[in-house]
Amino acid sequence: MKRLTVAVVSRNYFNLPLWIARAAGLFTAEGLDVQIDHIEGIEEVAARLRDGRAQLAYGVTEHVILDAETGGRTAIIGGNVNKLPFSLIARAGIEGLEGLRGKKIGVSSLRAGSSSLIMKLLAARGLHWPADYELVPCGPILARWDLLRSGEIDAGLQGAPLNRIAIEQGFVSLCEPRDEVPHFQFTSLDVDQDWAGANRDRLLPFLRAFLRAHERFYTERDEANAVAVAETGIETRHADMAWEEYTREAIFPRDGEASAAGVQALIETSALIRELPSRARTRAEDYIDRSWLAEARATL
């Protein structure tokens, strides 16, 4: 068995295709022993991919863009969260996005991820950071959920199914970001290009399992829900709510591909927020290497 480590952000629903591949024996069938490392911090996921502690990552896609613009060798080779699965959830009593003036909003990081999206959404309402609200870097979805319940933040993005759970518990949804930004590559399957070139005997089997897992997610509803419950501890009804949303909106790509429109939207949002001394790339496809999935698909 050939070993691989995949770094992922927290233990949330984003990771379901990988969990399905492991639970269904798809990795084993390809001769792979895949370790999935759940990391509570998006910066750490990117760091592990760069220094080789992980060979692949379900990472925040903005990190790939930032890394590439500073000479890094990270590339997007597959999709993950190709459309926004979030609601902007706030404590009861806050009305509308304008009600966030002077409030604390939890984000995954100030450097990348949910902060760019929050800034874009609020700027459209005349609220600008840092004058009009505070961003609190508190980590991914589960950490934001804990801080929202404890009252340490006033609002934050919550992904399905935690957004529905929050509403059931009395929190409010201020907006559904996907209504305003229909395409947005939030996370993706990322790899160091040098490692990929030297390890095709591990990467291609992984990608065959990756492709089969995405198709299986769409066709095996009960299995997908059972895996989600086992890995996250949510109730079956909440897992099914998430499955409905993810399949209806194609949040996970059925073909495993990254979204050119989603990466382009991310580039444009990042350019509005992040000041880079020189931006060498402006097109989505400049950051995506589709050759690996194409080769894997041809050998299924």
Side-chain angles (χ1 to χ4, degrees), residues 72-131:
R73 296 283 293 160
T74 310
I76 302 162
I77 59 169
N80 180 223
V81 175
N82 284 25
K83 296 180 181 179
L84 295 168
F86 303 109
S87 303
L88 182 50
I89 298 294
R91 57 177 175 78
I94 295 177
E95 296 184 5
L97 293 175
E98 294 80 359
L100 291 174
R101 187 179 297 276
K103 301 297 192 295
K104 294 181 178 181
I105 305 170
V107 294
S108 49
S109 165
L110 292 180
R111 182 173 181 268
S114 56
S115 56
S116 291
L117 185 61
I118 291 293
M119 291 177 193
K120 178 182 177 70
L121 292 170
L122 294 188
R125 274 81 176 179
L127 275 66
H128 301 281
W129 178 79

Side-chain angles (χ1 to χ4, degrees), residues 111-166:
R111 182 173 181 268
S114 56
S115 56
S116 291
L117 185 61
I118 291 293
M119 291 177 193
K120 178 182 177 70
L121 292 170
L122 294 188
R125 274 81 176 179
L127 275 66
H128 301 281
W129 178 79
D132 297 320
Y133 56 89
E134 180 180 351
L135 290 178
V136 180
C138 55
I141 289 172
L142 296 179
R144 290 200 295 273
W145 179 225
D146 288 341
L147 293 181
L148 187 61
R149 287 184 293 175
S150 70
E152 294 174 69
I153 60 174
D154 299 298
L157 293 172
Q158 287 299 325
L162 274 179
N163 53 352
R164 306 304 166 207
I165 295 171

Side-chain angles (χ1 to χ4, degrees), residues 21 26 35-36 77 84 87 123 136 142 162 170 202 249 270 288 294:
L26 303 180
Q35 177 177 319
I36 302 172
I77 59 169
L84 295 168
S87 303
V136 180
L142 296 179
L162 274 179
R202 286 192 281 173
E249 302 294 334
S270 182
I288 305 170

Side-chain angles (χ1 to χ4, degrees), residues 217-264:
F217 170 75
Y218 277 85
T219 60
E220 303 294 335
R221 180 176 187 162
D222 291 344
E223 177 187 70
N225 288 342
V227 172
V229 168
E231 293 288 348
T232 67
I234 58 177
E235 297 178 26
T236 299
R237 67 187 181 91
H238 291 135
D240 200 54
M241 286 179 187
W243 186 91
E244 285 273 8
E245 182 172 346
Y246 270 68
T247 53
R248 182 182 67 250
E249 302 294 334
I251 293 170
F252 288 150
R254 191 163 185 164
D255 63 2
E257 295 283 355
S259 164
V263 175
Q264 193 65 45

Side-chain angles (χ1 to χ4, degrees), residues 62 65-70 111 267 270-271 273-281 287:
E62 193 172 7
I65 293 169
L66 296 173
D67 181 61
E69 291 296 341
T70 54
R111 182 173 181 268
I267 291 169
S270 182
I273 306 305
R274 319 288 176 196
E275 291 187 9
L276 296 173
S278 61
R279 182 172 289 276
R281 312 180 197 181
Y287 299 93

